Amino acid sequence: MNYNIAVISGDGIGPEIVAEAKKVLGKIEVKYGHKFNYTEVLMGGISIDVHGVPLTEEALSTAKESDSVLLGAVGGDVGNSKWYGVAPNLRPEAGLLALRKGLSLFANIRPAYLYQELKSACPLKDEVIGDGFDMVIMRELTGGIYFGERKTEEVNGIIKATDILTYDDEEIRRIAIRGFDIAMKRRKKVTSVDKANVLDSSRLWRKVVTEVARDYKEVELEHMLVDNCAMQLVKNPRQFDVILTENMFGDILSDEASMITGSIGMLSSASLGKTKQGMYEPSHGSAPDIAGKNLANPIATILSAAMMLRYSFDLDEEAGAIESAVIQVLKDGYRTVDIMSDGFSKVGTCEMGDLIADRI
Ligand code: NAD
């Protein structure tokens, strides 16, 4: 099969890590007989340098026409870069928000997987970790309190700030369907997280998620209050498969979940909309402090490419081949500097990409 991928290498370590993901995808092409056609799209600081804006209309159109978008990272050193002395809508990260909006990506998926080989990086106790955990946080991305009406006013000397949290049933239904679809490809369990004991929006959330669950008889659904979920993530993370939640709860819980894996250079993510198209990127930023030094860990980007194969192209076996190759390289004792510890072999960005590609 032929797939058209818009590639946004971006800034900082972006070009280095994307090059390694493409190297690995090249091996998938050879082994499985696919063809990935890449179109380079400028976004972020590099687009500001060339076009004066972080995302041009033309770049957005190219991304829209692609089957999927693979992104490295954008942005520079916020305290010390030519890109930041301007209005927020002209900074590198504004390109990212415009792209997510332009592609109508309402669902963000962040896996939190603890590699046995990296267990020592996990801040939880051994008896809690057991044989590891493997979950995804599915966060609604374009609704809720971050997008509701907000105002600050002073009445009779009292300053009052208001943020309105709104969801409609359609917004909840579409993300719930995405969550159950993903659970079907995994261990078939959805934990829907809300605050239904207090919030009307959460009661609607729970009602709609329960309705959607009726179409997925094989998937076990449980409801959990968000405060309990925050506790359960550190008490027993192994119980979770897919955590499905609204925007703000997901923002907080996904950072908590990624923290317990202990390694930012390993964490992939996907943003999806109603169609098969998605945007796939590592959870970390452009790491300007190590850019151009062959020090960056490319694994998060390589695993994001695997997510693209699974979720946008339905290439489960190929995605699995990449994930297994990553595990094998870690088992063989190779580490980039961010996950390095005594007794292992230190490798650079490029070598890590070569090793993973070789094991496909
Ligand atoms: P960062 O994630 O770029 O870096 C934080 C720390 O982690 C740094 O010490 C960095 O060297 C290290 N690190 C990150 N990725 C790594 C990797 N793959 N391998 C090894 N080490 C890695 O976060 P930051 O420093 O807060 O932000 C830097 C820039 O990235 C900023 O301009 C920020 O706005 C931008 N940013 C972009 C995205 C994105 O493009 N999606 C996301 C977050 C931050």
Side-chain angles (χ1 to χ4, degrees):
M1 284 282 287
N2 249 296
Y3 301 94
N4 297 319
I5 302 170
V7 174
I8 303 177
S9 297
D11 309 313
I13 59 171
E16 297 167 68
I17 52 181
V18 166
E20 299 315 311
K22 283 167 75 178
K23 192 185 277 174
V24 172
L25 287 173
K27 278 292 171 90
I28 294 290
E29 285 182 304
V30 173
K31 180 162 178 191
Y32 294 92
H34 303 301
K35 180 83 188 89
F36 301 124
N37 306 308
Y38 302 108
T39 309
E40 284 289 336
V41 173
L42 294 189
M43 189 181 81
I46 184 157
S47 173
I48 296 174
D49 288 347
V50 176
H51 300 295
V53 288
L55 183 74
T56 62
E57 282 299 326
E58 199 193 345
L60 179 58
S61 300
T62 308
K64 278 183 178 167
E65 283 156 17
S66 69
D67 294 324
S68 246
V69 180
L70 181 65
L71 167 69
V74 295
D77 178 350
V78 180
N80 185 26
S81 159
K82 58 184 171 172
W83 298 322
Y84 291 92
V86 293
N89 65 332
L90 289 176
R91 294 178 190 168
E93 291 76 5
L96 194 55
L97 299 182
L99 191 64
R100 283 184 185 145
K101 196 162 169 231
L103 298 178
S104 306
L105 303 172
F106 58 79
N108 181 252
I109 311 174
R110 266 214 227 173
Y113 178 82
L114 183 69
Y115 290 87
Q116 284 302 301
E117 296 72 23
L118 302 179
K119 244 172 142 178
S120 59
C122 175
L124 302 179
K125 287 182 184 155
D126 275 353
E127 61 262 34
V128 174
I129 301 168
D131 54 1
F133 51 83
D134 173 9
M135 71 184 99
V136 298
I137 312 276
M138 182 94 190
R139 166 191 171 192
E140 203 287 329
L141 208 55
T142 55
I145 201 163
Y146 294 170
F147 289 85
E149 202 183 306
R150 69 186 82 251
K151 63 178 178 198
T152 303
E153 59 194 339
E154 190 173 336
V155 181
N156 298 332
I158 308 247
I159 302 169
K160 186 169 138 190
T162 308
D163 298 282
I164 296 181
L165 164 50
T166 307
Y167 270 108
D168 66 43
D169 59 341
E170 235 350 271
E171 285 174 310
I172 300 168
R173 186 164 288 108
R174 65 185 188 180
I175 178 105
I177 289 169
R178 274 292 192 185
F180 280 90
D181 283 344
I182 280 166
M184 285 296 289
K185 286 176 176 269
R186 295 174 46 89
R187 299 196 309 278
K188 299 192 173 65
K189 180 178 176 193
V190 169
T191 304
S192 175
V193 174
D194 60 37
K195 189 72 183 165
N197 53 341
V198 179
L199 302 174
D200 260 15
S201 56
S202 279
R203 282 188 276 272
L204 180 62
W205 181 277
R206 197 173 274 219
K207 177 173 174 288
V208 175
V209 171
T210 305
E211 284 166 14
V212 170
R214 290 188 193 119
D215 292 332
Y216 295 86
K217 299 261 181 287
E218 290 172 58
V219 179
E220 177 197 346
L221 168 67
E222 71 172 348
H223 298 284
M224 191 176 277
L225 295 175
V226 61
D227 36 358
N228 185 26
C229 185
M231 286 195 292
Q232 295 299 328
L233 271 171
V234 289
K235 193 176 165 210
N236 178 16
R238 285 176 289 161
Q239 68 186 285
F240 296 112
D241 179 19
V242 176
I243 292 180
L244 171 67
T245 192
E246 62 93 72
N247 204 343
M248 183 169 67
F249 298 160
D251 190 4
I252 298 164
L253 294 176
S254 63
D255 269 22
E256 186 185 358
S258 60
M259 178 59 211
I260 57 175
T261 69
S263 47
I264 191 162
M266 304 288 299
L267 296 170
S268 53
S269 89
S271 300
L272 303 174
K274 253 193 171 147
T275 66
K276 278 278 174 193
Q277 190 190 46
M279 184 158 85
Y280 299 85
E281 56 178 313
S283 296
H284 58 73
S286 61
D289 52 333
I290 55 166
K293 297 180 179 162
N294 196 35
L295 288 177
N297 185 347
I299 293 180
T301 316
I302 290 170
L303 291 173
S304 301
M307 286 181 89
M308 176 175 74
L309 301 188
R310 175 168 288 121
Y311 296 129
S312 281
F313 305 159
D314 281 326
L315 300 176
D316 284 348
E317 190 185 335
E318 291 82 340
I322 296 179
E323 289 154 358
S324 303
V326 167
I327 291 174
Q328 193 53 52
V329 169
L330 294 174
K331 276 205 171 94
D332 293 344
Y334 296 103
R335 303 282 188 271
T336 42
V337 67
D338 57 309
I339 50 174
M340 181 66 191
S341 47
D342 285 350
F344 294 102
S345 311
K346 188 155 80 181
V347 293
T349 311
C350 226
E351 295 72 33
M352 183 55 99
D354 286 340
L355 287 161
I356 295 167
D358 282 351
R359 279 158 183 75
I360 296 287

